[in-house]
Amino acid sequence: MSTTVRYDFRSDTVTRPGLAMRAAIAAAEVGDDVMGDDPTVKRLEERMADMLGKEAALFVSSGTQSNLIALMAHCERGDEYIVGQNAHCYRWEAGGAAVLGGIQPQPLNNQADGSLLLKDIEEAIKPDDPHFARTRLLALENTIGGKVLPLSYADAATMLARRHGLACHLDGARVFNAAVALRLPVSMLARPFDTVSVCLSKGLGAPAGSVLVGPAAVVAKARRLRKMLGGGLRQAGILAAAGLYALDHHIERLADDHANAKSLAQGLSELPGLSVSVPATNIVFVDVAAEVALDFANHLAAQGVGVTSVYGATRQRWVTHLDVGEQAVAFALAAARDFFAGRDSRSLASVPHAEHS
Ligand SMILES: *Cc1c(COP(=O)(O)O)cnc(C)c1O
């Protein structure tokens, strides 16, 4: 992107720590966390374990590392995990579980709501037979593509998994978005799962870091794996302090991001040539008529509005967050209206409403 991105809707990872978070970072008490000496990391881990209703927690460098560690903690080499085709830990993490963990994925189609059919899960669980990898784990994601997994679904899927002796992991990179959208304590969303991975660096606005929570024995194993993967950080309290600040100040306000995503989606949906998803949280998908897709993307970029474009710019992803508020939404909508003004809407092929993930 050549022009400066002034209004950055590409992802909620782009948030920059503000002054108050930087002050918390500056004031952090630190120690060598690999030796177990960093009081701020310990506080963050205890706080997260508590909030998620789990025994223990581990501060890690990224969501990708957190998922990989969780998969490796649950599965041995030659084991298998059941996961959605669109799941981040399967599709967007460079195949790490297979490459580094020797863990075979068994991907299943995600339904439009992000769920996996119970029937598909049940059929994918392998019997104990030397022909097959050993099915050990079910991995779900919440939110997935910005959609909130219903609590009843998480209960049903994990109960099925447990009947077959599987452990259950939740990629909860944005689980706080789900909790805020459902107006439920996040521990309720975590309860059906053994382990949950949570990103501090997305909508919560910290510069880096994720936390893996779960049973003490699994987290102890995870701690060894974190060291093995090169993720043992020393004075990590300067990052954990940002995480603690985010937990204190940036959870309730996720509701603002959701409201902004709704008004963004509403405004975009009024334009010809666009088909817009109804956001449950902070992510809006937009399908753009092919004949204007590249021009529209270039127009937004030239106006300093950053979005993620895929499939020849016929699909856009807009994400709201801390650093794009009402004013940014208003600016982006004006830029989009400006593009379509004077275009004959009848000349634009109507865009079929695609499934968004
Ligand atoms: C971003 C994300 C991750 C990975 O987090 P990183 O910190 O970017 O490695 C994992 N899962 C989901 C659902 C995500 O959105």
Side-chain angles (χ1 to χ4, degrees):
M1 214 169 289
S2 51
T3 326
T4 321
V5 184
R6 275 194 296 157
Y7 300 103
D8 199 344
F9 293 89
R10 289 173 302 168
S11 176
D12 46 9
T13 56
V14 303
T15 52
R16 294 174 193 163
L19 286 179
M21 182 180 276
R22 284 168 191 258
I25 291 170
E29 228 190 306
V30 297
D32 187 327
D33 183 53
V34 176
M35 298 185 188
D37 287 350
D38 193 301
T40 310
V41 171
K42 282 194 174 141
R43 265 203 290 138
L44 175 65
E45 288 176 345
E46 278 163 22
R47 178 94 181 272
M48 283 292 267
D50 203 47
M51 288 180 90
L52 277 287
K54 303 295 180 200
E55 277 175 9
L58 183 69
F59 181 56
V60 296
S61 28
S62 69
T64 300
Q65 189 176 69
S66 188
N67 281 328
L68 175 60
I69 288 173
L71 293 170
M72 289 176 72
H74 288 295
C75 303
E76 301 300 325
R77 300 182 71 78
D79 288 350
E80 171 184 84
Y81 73 111
I82 293 176
V83 64
Q85 288 280 1
N86 297 334
H88 201 282
C89 68
Y90 169 64
R91 190 169 183 152
W92 300 94
E93 296 180 8
V99 177
L100 300 167
I103 305 162
Q104 165 166 284
Q106 167 61 74
L108 301 176
N109 286 332
N110 288 98
Q111 302 303 300
D113 66 357
S115 69
L116 308 175
L117 288 181
L118 299 183
K119 167 178 122 349
D120 290 351
I121 296 174
E122 187 138 36
E123 283 172 11
I125 298 172
K126 316 288 183 291
D128 181 8
D129 174 318
H131 288 89
F132 300 127
R134 289 162 305 217
T135 315
R136 283 280 195 249
L137 177 75
L138 172 67
L140 297 177
E141 188 173 311
N142 195 13
T143 61
I144 177 161
K147 284 169 287 204
V148 179
L149 273 192
L151 263 188
S152 57
Y153 171 75
D155 279 337
T158 54
M159 271 163 59
L160 165 64
R162 291 187 201 291
R163 273 207 303 283
H164 292 274
L166 273 58
C168 300
H169 172 68
L170 180 69
D171 179 352
R174 296 189 179 89
V175 73
F176 280 104
N177 290 87
V180 166
L182 292 173
R183 296 193 171 85
L184 290 173
V186 71
S187 58
M188 280 187 72
L189 281 64
R191 192 185 42 78
F193 300 90
D194 299 289
T195 49
V196 183
S197 169
V198 183
C199 281
L200 299 167
S201 58
K202 300 255 164 98
L204 294 182
S210 281
V211 179
L212 179 66
V213 300
V218 178
V219 171
K221 195 173 172 191
R223 198 171 286 279
R224 178 183 298 272
L225 289 163
R226 184 184 69 173
K227 191 77 188 84
M228 186 190 293
L229 294 167
L233 302 176
R234 301 297 176 171
Q235 286 72 40
I238 57 167
L239 292 173
L244 284 164
Y245 181 89
L247 297 180
D248 284 335
H249 300 281
H250 292 169
I251 295 176
E252 298 304 318
R253 64 150 308 288
L254 291 171
D256 301 343
D257 297 345
H258 302 172
N260 288 331
K262 279 202 176 68
S263 47
L264 178 67
Q266 176 59 40
L268 291 172
S269 71
E270 287 159 10
L271 297 172
L274 301 182
S275 165
V276 184
S277 69
V278 178
T281 56
N282 68 328
I283 303 183
V284 180
F285 290 96
V286 181
D287 288 320
V288 188
E291 61 267 41
V292 294
L294 273 177
D295 287 345
F296 183 44
N298 290 335
H299 172 82
L300 291 174
Q303 302 287 309
V305 177
V307 304
T308 298
S309 291
V310 291
Y311 310 135
T314 57
R315 164 79 55 86
Q316 298 177 333
R317 189 183 80 150
W318 299 61
V319 186
T320 55
H321 53 77
L322 207 55
D323 293 351
V324 281
E326 273 174 55
Q327 192 219 341
V329 168
F331 184 93
L333 284 177
R337 282 186 199 114
D338 185 43
F339 175 81
F340 286 100
R343 257 165 232 268
D344 181 359
S345 58
R346 284 157 308 179
S347 75
L348 292 172
S350 72
V351 188
H353 196 79
E355 281 196 3
H356 300 95
S357 65

